[in-house]
Each structure stands twice: as C-alpha cells, then as structure tokens.
Amino acid sequence: MTFSRTATLAASVSMLAGLAHADTLNIQTSFNAGDFSTKYITDEWLPKIEEMTEGRISIVLTPNGSVVPARDTPEAVAAGALDGDFTSVNYFSGQEPAFALLGDLISGYDTPQQMIGFCEEGPGEEMMQKAADAITGGEVKVVACGPYSREALVAREPIRTFEDLEGKKIRSPEGLAAAVFQAAGASPVAIPFSEVFGALEKGIVDAADASAYVNNDATGLHDVAPYPLYPGIHSMPAMQFTVNREVWEGLEEQDQEALRTWWYEAMYAMADEVTKLDKELAERDDASDDIEVIDWAQEDRDQLREVARKEWEAYAEKSDLAQEALDAHISYMTEIGLFKE
C-alpha cells in the first residue's frame, strides 16, 4: 500500500511538473477568421507543434485585429500583450521603410519557395530581425519569415506581354506596387479592396491587384475580369513569425528549434497547397469558354523585374536599413539565378 501511494504521488508530481513547464503561446495573425490560411494552419499545423515538443508548447492562433490592429503587433509583442505574431510585414512599412522591401519585393521572386529560402537559408531572417529591432528596441525575436502565395492579377482584357501593360488602368495599393506598375507604363488607381469588383465590372479599371487565384475565384472576380494572369507577375506578401524576447528566452533550446522548424514546414506545406488549389482552378477555368488564363513568358517576367528593380532602388533610399534589405535581396536573387552577375 505504501509503495502504491508513493508511486501515485510521484506520478502526480511528475505530471504537475510537466504541466508547469508547458507553454501556451497566444499568437495573433493578420489572416482573417474565415480565410483558407487561418483554417489550414489551425486544423493542420497547430496540433503538430504540440507533437513536436511533446506537449511542452501549444499555440492559440487568433485572427486579424482580435487583440490589436495588425500594424500594432510588434509593439504588442514587445510589451507582452501578445506572446507573438504571424503577420504580413507590409503593415509595418510606415514605421520602417525596410519592411516594404522585406514584405513584398514587387515582381521580385518567381515562387513563394524562393522567397522562403531567402528567409530560411539566406539573409532574410537577419534582416527582418534588424527591422524589428529598429521599432521595438530588441524586445521581439524574429523566429522565421516568408510568403505562402503569389497573387494573381485579374484583368478585364488580355495583358499577354509586358508591352500590354502600357496604358492599362490597374487597381493597386499606394507605395511600391503602384510605383512599379507606373514605371511599366500602366496607370495605377488607388481604390479600396472592397470596391475592386465594382470597379472591374464598370470598367473603371482594366485590371486589379487583388489576391491569390483561389481567393479571386471565391469572390467572383473572374466573372468580371476573365483574363487572369497566373502565375502572378507582381505581389508575394511575406509573413513574419515573432515571439516576445523574454518568452523566447524562457523556452528550452530544443523547443526554440522546434518552433522555427515547425513554422517553415507549415509555410512550405501551405505554399504547396495553395499552389495546388490555384493550379487546379486555373486549369479548370482555362478549359472553359468563359475564362482565358494568361501565363507570361519568362522574358516578359524578366523585363518587368528589371523595371521593378529601379523602383526598389529608389525606395531603398528612404533609410539605411531599407538599402541594406535591398542589397540582401539582390545578393540572394543573384545567387539563385534571378539576376546575372
């Protein structure tokens, strides 16, 4: 009996000790509650971090704006109001220009996997950390970064080559994207995303910077813009995964490594899944009589990239850190063959 009670007590103490070292990280994302991305990460990947850390870490993922506006997440993480964030870094470009170049190098990389490589294997994480330090005083740890999709461009009329951009009115957010379209001969028009469908339907714009093909399909944009450019030619928004510095330093080293590995595996998997869904929908639509899916030749993509490069260089003049971020991109893109030596 004594042995049984002792064994039971020991087991209880061991279990409580394990619970005491379990960490639940409250992470806010810039994904909306109903997004494919939110559901995919929640259903497929949140359980995996618990498996990878043998229950020592779990993540509660809350949607865009649930605690603070997306643009305020770095300060919220630094202050401990959030344990971390999973946010598109474009939201922070008003605080440090480097984030615009790190967040979406318009017409830069051809695939999400290339830009994830910039973060995971290249200088991307280091540059993202420098940008985070510039606005949070070192209180935030950048664990990982990268995009999961390349956005398609929806169009009312065919834009089959680089030259076809000339004179086209294209809905685009202000900033780097608008500058690149203008330099390519198009006329960027700044209208809210909520008005994109109506603007295309009425011919106010000829094309629109909207979202990934799967999202454009879901919102019916191809009904009014039946000439989508896929794979896209312009936008590939990068996400960051950060953790409050004090929380990070309180984790075991093996769990720190597990979090980084987990995030990159999740992003590669989500990029593959979105690519698969986009491709299936594009093939379905292209086989119909209603939609013509346009895939630019590589020489047209290269031509747009060269035009975009001049706009990157102009934007990089906004801060020393922005220039350093661009130099890091150019070095890595040259290394993987997107630019010649």
Side-chain angles (χ1 to χ4, degrees), residues 154-156 169 171 191 195-208 210 221 224-225:
V154 289
R156 281 173 48 90
K169 294 174 293 182
R171 180 268 172 184
I191 60 175
E195 298 176 15
V196 167
F197 187 97
L200 286 166
E201 185 177 37
K202 296 172 184 175
I204 296 171
V205 294
D206 302 308
L221 288 179
V224 292

Side-chain angles (χ1 to χ4, degrees), residues 113-134:
Q113 289 81 357
Q114 289 173 342
M115 194 171 176
I116 295 174
F118 168 71
C119 280
E120 183 185 23
E121 302 165 359
E125 275 182 29
E126 180 184 357
M127 285 309 311
M128 204 74 79
Q129 185 66 65
K130 288 184 178 181
D133 289 346

Side-chain angles (χ1 to χ4, degrees), residues 103-310:
D104 197 349
L105 193 69
I106 302 296
S107 302
Y109 296 90
D110 285 332
T111 68
Q113 289 81 357
Q114 289 173 342
M115 194 171 176
I116 295 174
F118 168 71
C119 280
E120 183 185 23
E121 302 165 359
E125 275 182 29
E126 180 184 357
M127 285 309 311
M128 204 74 79
Q129 185 66 65
K130 288 184 178 181
D133 289 346
I135 64 174
T136 67
E139 296 300 318
V140 168
K141 166 66 180 176
V142 174
V143 181
C145 56
Y148 70 93
S149 72
R150 184 175 189 95
E151 295 184 349
L153 189 78
V154 289
R156 281 173 48 90
E157 53 188 84
I159 303 176
R160 296 193 174 94
T161 66
F162 172 82
E163 286 74 20
D164 287 344
L165 286 171
E166 183 70 34
K168 295 294 188 299
K169 294 174 293 182
I170 300 180
R171 180 268 172 184
S172 172
E174 296 179 355
L176 190 55
V180 170
F181 282 129
Q182 185 166 15
S187 299
V189 180
I191 60 175
F193 185 82
S194 60
E195 298 176 15
V196 167
F197 187 97
L200 286 166
E201 185 177 37
K202 296 172 184 175
I204 296 171
V205 294
D206 302 308
D209 177 334
S211 186
Y213 198 102
V214 64
N215 294 330
N216 294 339
D217 174 79
T219 53
L221 288 179
H222 298 145
D223 294 339
V224 292
Y227 298 96
L229 275 67
Y230 171 82
I233 60 170
H234 64 306
S235 181
M236 194 184 300
M239 311 293 290
Q240 69 170 15
F241 176 38
T242 73
V243 174
N244 172 275
R245 177 72 68 175
E246 185 176 350
V247 171
W248 177 257
E249 291 176 352
L251 300 177
E252 297 180 23
E253 184 176 349
Q254 62 180 330
D255 291 337
Q256 293 176 346
E257 293 173 358
L259 276 170
R260 182 177 184 272
T261 299
W262 167 81
W263 197 85
Y264 279 119
E265 288 183 355
M267 289 301 281
Y268 276 117
M270 186 156 64
D272 290 344
E273 183 66 15
V274 171
T275 298
K276 174 176 171 289
L277 293 173
D278 282 355
K279 185 177 180 182
E280 289 174 353
L281 290 170
E283 289 176 349
R284 179 204 68 186
D285 291 345
D286 204 31
S288 74
D289 296 328
D290 301 321
I291 298 172
E292 177 188 338
V293 179
I294 297 171
D295 180 5
W296 269 18
Q298 189 60 50
E299 52 263 35
D300 291 297
R301 295 175 182 275
D302 292 342
Q303 194 171 356
L304 182 59
R305 182 180 292 119
E306 287 297 340
V307 168
R309 183 172 180 171
K310 294 182 174 62

